Amino acid sequence: MDYRTLDFSLSDLRTRDTDDDSMKISGYAALYNQPSQPLPFIEYIRKGAFDNVDLSDVLLLYGHEPNQILARTNAGSLSLKLDDKGLFFTASLPDTTLGHDTYNNILAGNLRGCSFGFTIATGGDAWSQGDNGKVIHDVTQIESRRTNNVNGNQSR
């Protein structure tokens, strides 16, 4: 499983006002054609990388920890939408200490971005070297599997 973080100014993690006092957050977990946070290489998720990926059982995790679940698609607390920019999510956080802490840290600006975990499909990537000498990793197909995850706390 690979994990990548978006620059907070790109992922645009935000809270949403609701009439029922629920804790809703939204933002982009992945953006097409945008460079990843600094790694030993620059990575781009290309448009179409999510084609045929099963998004029916995706988890919103805190800190990539499987025991820190904030929302889940098949529980109805997480919705995902692919659009021209990337993978957009909306989540209703649980009425738990973790849910409240996460929501309040987003409100305070302490948590400002997202990362997502994924596995690259066989043959679903390519490596090259840019004009500036940087190594470029293009992800063109994410593996279609039942459980993937999105994390709402990675950009600091």
Side-chain angles (χ1 to χ4, degrees):
M1 178 75 65
D2 290 309
Y3 302 102
R4 298 298 181 265
T5 301
L6 291 175
D7 181 284
F8 73 89
S9 63
L10 298 173
S11 62
D12 201 23
L13 182 64
R14 63 183 60 200
T15 59
R16 294 181 57 196
D17 292 329
T18 62
D19 294 331
D20 61 1
D21 291 332
S22 63
M23 297 178 292
K24 291 195 185 253
I25 61 170
S26 62
Y28 280 91
L31 289 169
Y32 301 130
N33 304 317
Q34 296 295 323
S36 62
Q37 287 285 340
L39 299 163
F41 52 88
I42 303 296
E43 184 169 73
Y44 294 89
I45 304 297
R46 298 303 182 188
K47 190 168 184 173
F50 290 97
D51 289 356
N52 303 311
V53 173
D54 182 357
L55 298 174
S56 65
D57 188 16
V58 175
L59 306 174
L60 175 65
L61 303 175
Y62 185 89
H64 297 282
E65 293 293 331
N67 62 343
Q68 300 288 311
I69 299 172
L70 290 166
R72 189 177 197 139
T73 53
N74 65 3
S77 53
L78 175 63
S79 66
L80 301 171
K81 178 180 76 168
L82 291 168
D83 62 22
D84 287 338
K85 288 178 68 177
L87 178 62
F88 185 81
F89 75 93
T90 300
S92 296
L93 300 183
D95 186 14
T96 62
T97 300
L98 177 63
H100 285 277
D101 288 351
T102 301
Y103 188 79
N104 287 316
N105 272 308
I106 293 167
L107 280 174
N110 297 328
L111 304 178
R112 303 183 298 176
C114 294
S115 63
F116 75 109
F118 62 99
T119 302
I120 299 169
T122 303
D125 66 339
W127 295 87
S128 62
Q129 190 165 7
D131 293 337
N132 60 2
K134 296 270 186 185
V135 175
I136 308 261
H137 185 217
D138 288 302
V139 176
T140 56
Q141 185 62 58
I142 292 170
E143 182 178 300
S144 180
R145 47 188 241 146
R146 207 152 150 72
T147 302
N148 289 289
N149 66 68
V150 171
N151 287 272
N153 71 329
Q154 296 301 302
S155 291
R156 295 180 179 97

